[in-house]
Amino acid sequence: MRTSISSLQKIYQNGEKFTVLTCYDATFSQVLEACGVDVLLVGDSLGNVIQGEETTLSVTLEQIIYHTRCVARGSEKAFIMADMPFGTAQLSPECTFKNACQIMAAGAQMVKIEGGHIMTDTIQFLTQRGIPVCAHIGLTPQSIHQLGGYKIQGNTESSASRLFSEARALEQSGATMLLMELVPAPLAKQITAAISIPTIGIGAGVDCTAQVLVLHDMLGLYQGNKSKFVKNFMAESCNIQDAIRNYVKAVKAGHFPDKAHEYQ
């Protein structure tokens, strides 16, 4: 039986942690599932690690649908979440719903949407119509040109207040989970404590409910710039499966991320 939203919420309510890794194909979905990864994220990071692009902006809806189908075919138990790529969720709520339906039909159980206050009406529209949403705040790679690069977010009083307000608003709009990227660990801890939905951190400290990394980063395969929050789990492992299991163990035990991989 495939992991459900209820299963993940039970983990959250028990004060435990769950694990997320990006996945783009059937083979790795089998491997990640066998190694205990709870959630497979079909991320638009495939633009970087699969297609060799500098940003995620060129990833299309059709490509996300294709890779979601591949991941769904290869797994039986893991929860599947998929990104809504650039330009597919920034339209009207009705158009966003149409795009999300195609991703769900391909095998996703949840879509992830970048953006804060501006996305609340859209998220409410989707969730009221049966599409679970993981909201994504902090560094939002689809807005990389507006943000001026891959920079930490929420490190000033005003930006921290904005992120806190966005988190509450997104929860109220019906978001089932909240992903925070490149957010100071103390702020991510405050947000996690203030809302009643699971939080997923990437560069957001150890106090989030779950952690996510790009698969190619945690295996030390991606040759691009390495962010501070990235840990190469292959460096201390004998093979890919051991590296993934070590990641799962470290996250569930609260050992990753440590101080060396978080922002203050």
Side-chain angles (χ1 to χ4, degrees), residues 22-24 40-44 46 64 67-68 71 80-83:
T22 63
C23 187
Y24 318 100
L40 308 181
L41 170 61
V42 185
D44 57 6
L46 68 89
I64 288 290
H67 285 278
T68 299
V71 170
I80 299 175
M81 183 193 307
D83 273 334

Side-chain angles (χ1 to χ4, degrees), residues 1-249:
M1 181 179 296
R2 193 174 289 279
T3 299
S4 66
I5 291 175
S6 297
S7 304
L8 298 175
Q9 288 176 333
K10 185 175 181 179
I11 294 173
Y12 164 69
Q13 291 165 358
N14 289 339
E16 301 170 353
K17 296 180 181 292
F18 59 88
T19 53
V20 188
L21 281 174
T22 63
C23 187
Y24 318 100
D25 62 63
T27 298
F28 263 111
S29 67
Q30 291 176 333
V31 172
L32 297 182
E33 181 175 280
C35 293
V37 178
D38 299 298
V39 180
L40 308 181
L41 170 61
V42 185
D44 57 6
S45 51
L46 68 89
N48 306 118
V49 299
I50 302 295
Q51 299 173 345
E53 300 285 354
E54 290 187 6
T55 72
T56 65
L57 302 182
S58 63
V59 176
T60 66
L61 177 63
E62 291 72 22
Q63 290 166 349
I64 288 290
I65 290 170
Y66 168 81
H67 285 278
T68 299
R69 284 202 181 103
C70 293
V71 170
R73 288 193 194 106
S75 66
E76 296 180 356
K77 297 180 181 179
F79 187 89
I80 299 175
M81 183 193 307
D83 273 334
M84 294 202 67
F86 179 65
T88 65
Q90 293 81 9
L91 307 167
S92 67
E94 290 82 3
C95 289
T96 302
F97 176 74
K98 181 179 179 180
N99 293 333
C101 284
Q102 295 182 65
I103 295 174
M104 298 291 286
Q109 296 162 267
M110 177 180 287
V111 296
K112 181 167 73 64
I113 297 178
E114 295 185 10
H117 289 295
I118 196 170
M119 300 310 300
T120 54
D121 288 345
T122 295
I123 290 174
Q124 184 176 51
F125 189 92
L126 266 60
T127 56
Q128 288 178 342
R129 288 159 178 80
I131 296 183
V133 175
C134 175
H136 180 159
I137 62 172
L139 176 73
T140 47
Q142 292 175 14
S143 303
I144 194 64
H145 295 308
Q146 183 183 36
L147 295 174
Y150 294 93
K151 301 177 180 178
I152 188 170
Q153 305 295 307
N155 56 342
T156 66
E157 184 175 347
S158 60
S159 61
S161 177
R162 174 179 54 81
L163 288 180
F164 198 93
S165 174
E166 286 179 342
R168 286 185 175 274
L170 291 163
E171 178 189 18
Q172 292 172 0
S173 72
T176 307
M177 297 183 196
L178 177 70
L179 187 146
M180 294 183 280
E181 181 169 356
L182 240 63
V183 172
L187 174 60
K189 181 179 181 179
Q190 291 174 1
I191 291 174
T192 298
I195 60 177
S196 58
I197 58 176
T199 59
I200 303 171
I202 178 166
V206 72
D207 292 297
C208 295
T209 310
Q211 298 293 328
V212 62
L213 285 177
V214 172
L215 177 64
H216 294 62
D217 286 341
M218 63 82 60
L219 293 178
L221 297 175
Y222 184 58
Q223 299 303 305
N225 293 330
K226 305 292 192 302
S227 298
K228 178 182 179 180
F229 61 77
V230 171
K231 179 176 179 179
N232 176 5
F233 281 84
M234 273 296 294
E236 299 175 358
S237 305
C238 297
N239 53 50
I240 288 174
Q241 287 87 345
D242 282 347
I244 297 167
R245 291 189 190 99
N246 289 337
Y247 167 77
V248 170
K249 291 177 183 176

